[in-house]
Structures are given as C-alpha cells and as structure tokens.
Amino acid sequence: MTEVSHRYFVLNKPYNMLSQFIGPADARKLDELAFDFPEGTHPIGRLDGISEGLLLLTTNKKVTRLLFQGETIHKRSYLVQVYKVVSPENLQRLREGVAIRIRGTEELYVTAPCEVEIVEKPTNLFQSGYEFDERIPHTWLLITMTEGKFRQIRKMVSAINHRCQRLIRLSIENLSLEDLQPGQVREIEEETFFRELKIDNWK
C-alpha cells in the first residue's frame, strides 16, 4: 500500500476570523485566505475569532491527538494585552493558578501553574484589526502554559479583575510565528514539523 504524503502549515490567524473553513455566512473564515490549501486541510486546535497568531493546519488527522490529547504536555506561549496595570500580587496569582469556570460544567476549575511575566510591547508587532488607545493604562503579559481550555487566558485575566484586550499565540513548543504577518502561511516539511513540536511517535 502506498503511504499517503501529508502537508503541514503554520498560519498567522488574523483578528476577527474563525479557525475553520466552513461556518456562518456572515463570518470570516479560513477559506478567505489567499492560499491554496490542499483538500482535507484542517486546523489543529483553535483560536477564538478575536484571538490572533499561530494556528497549525495539516492534512494529517493524527496530529490533533498527538499534540493535544496525548500524555505528553506541550508548551504554548501567548502575548496578552490587558486593561490596567497588573500588580505583582495578581501576577503571582496567575502563575500559581486561578479559579475559572469551564464550559459545560458548574464546578470551578483551578488552572495549572504557568509562566507569566510583564513585558514591553514588541517594537515589530504586527497591526491588528482591533483598535486600542495606547494612552489608556494597560499591561503586556507573556504567558507560557500547557493547558488550553476554552477561552482560558481570557478567563484567567478576568479572574484577577483585568480585561483581555488582545491575545496573540506566538508559539507551540519550538514552532513559532517568526515573521509571518496576519493571513500569511508557511509550509513546513513533515520531519521538521514534528521535531519542532517535540513529537516523537508520529510515524
């Protein structure tokens, strides 16, 4: 039997676009991107519509299970802009874990410890469709975590009384946006894709 050859892509998902090819007629979707994806391409995981940044796509249906449903945990890093100045106490609360509500359950869930630091806004950060007055007090956070509950980061900063204004996924393990601009796609060779994601059992 001939082995099927799969393809792998990194996308900088734009603001206000769904992480799917099919959906409501009035919503922006991945099929509007100026890239000729092969038949069977699907996103690995999701970013909500107003979040931006790294989204992986592939024709290989095994990747979602290997990356998000396996025993090995994988780090994801996010650049997050929130209203108001975050105090050292609230920064530590985020690091240690905060209680949030999980979709489909009434019980509170305490998030796993994660890495959080206050950072300067990158000088080369790409433009977003979201407009924000930089004169309003705000904080940029770099958050690295191994969980990915529904809207988790937005709920985490809300739990410390801050509102998330902009959320950009920068990387998953060693796969990063690099210099991709919103809507741009980079294709990656199969072995490189799995090596950068630190997945060994893909063959």
Side-chain angles (χ1 to χ4, degrees):
M1 183 180 294
T2 304
E3 187 173 339
V4 176
S5 177
H6 289 294
R7 295 174 67 184
Y8 305 86
F9 309 93
V10 172
L11 162 69
N12 185 344
K13 189 191 83 65
Y15 173 81
N16 200 23
M17 175 176 281
L18 299 180
S19 298
Q20 56 198 67
F21 287 95
I22 300 173
D26 59 348
R28 295 176 68 209
K29 300 174 287 294
L30 300 177
D31 63 344
E32 298 178 26
L33 296 171
F35 190 86
D36 186 19
F37 289 106
E39 184 177 352
T41 300
H42 63 277
I44 306 164
R46 292 196 174 190
L47 288 170
D48 64 52
I50 57 175
S51 295
E52 309 163 65
L54 183 123
L55 183 66
L56 304 179
L57 301 101
T58 182
T59 56
N60 188 342
K61 294 181 179 179
K62 294 193 303 183
V63 179
T64 298
R65 175 178 56 81
L66 293 172
L67 185 59
F68 293 132
Q69 298 168 6
E71 294 181 2
T72 304
I73 57 177
H74 294 88
K75 288 186 176 182
R76 313 123 195 234
S77 293
Y78 302 83
L79 183 64
V80 185
Q81 182 190 37
V82 300
Y83 262 134
K84 301 185 296 185
V85 177
V86 178
S87 68
E89 293 78 15
N90 278 335
L91 202 64
Q92 191 60 27
R93 288 178 62 195
L94 287 177
R95 290 172 177 149
E96 294 176 354
V98 292
I100 62 173
R101 292 204 176 274
I102 299 297
R103 183 170 60 172
T105 177
E106 291 300 315
E107 295 182 11
L108 286 175
Y109 173 80
V110 177
T111 59
C114 62
E115 302 169 31
V116 188
E117 59 180 306
I118 294 176
V119 296
E120 295 291 330
K121 177 183 178 181
T123 55
N124 60 344
L125 184 62
F126 50 83
Q127 293 294 311
S128 169
Y130 175 75
E131 300 294 333
F132 181 81
D133 186 346
E134 296 284 345
R135 296 170 297 180
I136 297 173
H138 62 280
T139 306
W140 286 93
L141 301 172
L142 179 62
I143 301 178
T144 300
M145 59 200 307
T146 55
E147 296 184 300
K149 306 290 185 187
F150 178 70
R151 297 177 73 88
Q152 179 166 340
I153 289 179
R154 295 182 185 278
K155 292 176 181 179
M156 287 171 64
V157 298
S158 178
I160 60 165
N161 297 314
H162 288 266
R163 192 165 78 219
C164 182
Q165 294 305 121
R166 193 172 177 192
L167 194 158
I168 305 162
R169 183 157 62 196
L170 301 177
S171 64
I172 300 177
E173 288 295 350
N174 292 332
L175 268 185
S176 65
L177 284 176
E178 297 180 11
D179 58 354
L180 282 181
Q181 297 300 301
Q184 290 185 341
V185 179
R186 180 173 74 249
E187 185 163 5
I188 301 177
E189 293 184 353
E190 185 169 61
E191 291 203 8
T192 302
F193 180 83
F194 286 108
R195 183 180 67 249
E196 296 296 274
L197 290 177
K198 299 183 180 178
I199 296 175
D200 299 321
N201 58 335
W202 58 273
K203 290 186 179 180

